[in-house]
Amino acid sequence: MDRKDFLKKGLLGTGMFVASASLGNTMKNEIDEIEPLEPIGYNHLPNPESKIKDNSVIHKADTRGKADHGWLVSNHTFSFANYHNPERMHFGVLRVLNDDKVEAGRGFGTHPHDNMEIISIPLEGDLEHKDSMGNSAIIRSGDIQVMSAGTGIMHSEFNKNQDQLVKFLQIWVYPNKRNVTPRYDQITLDKTKSKNKFQQILSPNPDDEGVWIHQDAWFHLGNFEDNIETNYQLKKKGNGVYAFIIKGSAEIEGQKLEERDGFGVWDINELRIKATSENTEILLMDVPMTM
């Protein structure tokens, strides 16, 4: 499947559909997430300022789409809801990277998803999850939550606290299998394993470290002191890697990155990374570039 066909099939055939009155007691979020969008042009256009410009793209923090709903402030690395940038639809099978802040006591009412792998990474506060599979849980900083939406699920997420924000990353990845049985999981990470190195937090293998999804994708988190250098080996030929700077700053393949910047590279086997400030936290998402 070529890139344009992938765009058409991906955008028009999967995602989240907005709750309606016909769904009974479903609450509307007043947020349309992924709608059927007409694919225009190509994505991950080369970055003209990069030393490896033929196979990289940079998304600076202040170029992201932003939505302020009062109770929710969300920054969208890729097109989402009212933010539609035809050149910012996805990075390979990585479709959504939202940086969300939810006010105390507020949250997303019950709403449906299907045929998407959904990963939540809490950064601050406590997020309460409930779903149609009977799961009820609290996820906090240091936890990783994953849902395989498959044939369809309903779920809600709320800020459990009445006195502080919840901050979390919401990430959607296209699956390599459609209409699987819906699944939920969460784990608590051992943060000592990410001290000045990358800790695997997600993979395609249920027996491997971290949570797992229906896709040949690997996620890693690392917390680095200033001037620490490391290399990352991509896990599979044909994958690219998208780096997101959660906090601090770094140089990746010579590209200077600040907090909340994103940097994607493909057609490469190894990534050279150097932290350039204290307490730098980096999320790496190693994903297929085609379906």
Side-chain angles (χ1 to χ4, degrees):
M1 182 183 295
D2 66 25
R3 191 176 298 167
K4 189 172 289 186
D5 285 340
F6 165 60
L7 270 172
K8 289 180 180 177
K9 289 181 183 294
L11 294 176
L12 303 181
T14 190
M16 184 272 182
F17 300 93
V18 180
S20 68
S22 65
L23 291 171
N25 61 0
T26 299
M27 294 175 59
K28 290 189 69 173
N29 290 308
E30 299 178 350
I31 302 170
D32 293 346
E33 295 187 352
I34 287 184
E35 297 179 337
L37 301 175
E38 182 64 26
I40 303 171
Y42 293 97
N43 284 269
H44 51 259
L45 294 180
N47 166 29
E49 298 180 0
S50 172
K51 296 177 182 178
I52 51 172
K53 62 184 179 181
D54 291 337
N55 61 320
S56 73
V57 63
I58 186 168
H59 298 139
K60 300 296 288 184
D62 60 4
T63 69
R64 297 177 295 172
K66 184 175 182 179
D68 188 343
H69 299 276
W71 63 273
L72 167 70
V73 176
S74 184
N75 285 282
H76 312 313
T77 294
F78 304 107
S79 293
F80 190 88
N82 292 326
Y83 171 58
H84 178 203
N85 181 341
E87 303 299 350
R88 294 271 287 266
M89 300 303 301
H90 65 99
F91 180 82
V93 300
L94 175 61
R95 176 60 185 88
V96 169
L97 174 54
N98 286 351
D99 184 4
D100 291 346
K101 298 178 183 178
V102 179
E103 288 291 335
R106 302 297 299 274
F108 302 89
T110 303
H111 59 279
H113 295 273
D114 69 58
N115 286 310
M116 191 69 77
E117 302 294 301
I118 302 170
I119 302 100
S120 296
I121 303 177
L123 304 177
E124 293 181 22
D126 302 330
L127 192 65
E128 184 174 12
H129 166 95
K130 293 182 179 179
D131 64 44
S132 55
M133 295 176 283
N135 297 298
S136 180
I138 306 295
I139 55 172
R140 301 177 171 87
S141 176
D143 294 342
I144 304 295
Q145 178 200 74
V146 64
M147 291 189 297
S148 297
T151 54
I153 59 169
M154 306 283 288
H155 82 126
S156 63
E157 290 181 307
F158 282 88
N159 184 344
K160 183 175 174 60
N161 299 304
Q162 297 298 320
D163 58 353
Q164 68 181 82
L165 288 170
V166 159
K167 299 180 183 180
F168 72 105
L169 301 180
Q170 181 182 165
I171 302 166
W172 296 10
V173 174
Y174 286 120
N176 56 18
K177 297 178 182 177
R178 287 182 58 81
N179 297 322
V180 300
T181 300
R183 179 182 61 91
Y184 175 88
D185 194 17
Q186 72 178 74
I187 62 171
T188 298
L189 301 173
D190 179 355
K191 291 189 175 183
T192 64
K193 293 184 177 181
S194 61
K195 175 74 171 178
N196 288 325
K197 60 184 178 181
F198 283 107
Q199 173 187 12
Q200 182 174 291
I201 64 170
L202 176 147
S203 80
N205 186 350
D207 298 321
D208 212 347
E209 186 175 6
V211 294
W212 67 277
I213 62 172
H214 294 282
Q215 186 53 270
D216 291 329
W218 289 260
F219 286 13
H220 289 76
L221 271 176
N223 292 275
F224 300 95
E225 297 171 321
D226 193 15
N227 291 317
I228 295 293
E229 298 185 36
T230 187
N231 289 354
Y232 174 77
Q233 300 280 338
L234 273 74
K235 300 297 185 181
K236 185 177 179 181
K237 185 176 181 180
N239 276 18
V241 61
Y242 193 90
F244 185 72
I245 310 300
I246 296 175
K247 61 183 178 181
S249 61
E251 286 188 11
I252 300 181
E253 292 295 317
Q255 175 68 58
K256 295 182 179 180
L257 301 167
E258 304 295 333
E259 187 168 304
R260 276 8 190 220
D261 288 350
F263 181 60
V265 187
W266 60 98
D267 292 339
I268 195 170
N269 296 318
E270 183 179 79
L271 212 58
R272 294 170 297 159
I273 301 164
K274 179 182 178 180
T276 55
S277 66
E278 289 294 337
N279 300 316
T280 293
E281 186 172 9
I282 303 172
L283 171 64
L284 296 183
M285 292 165 280
D286 184 334
V287 297
M289 297 307 291
T290 58
M291 292 289 271

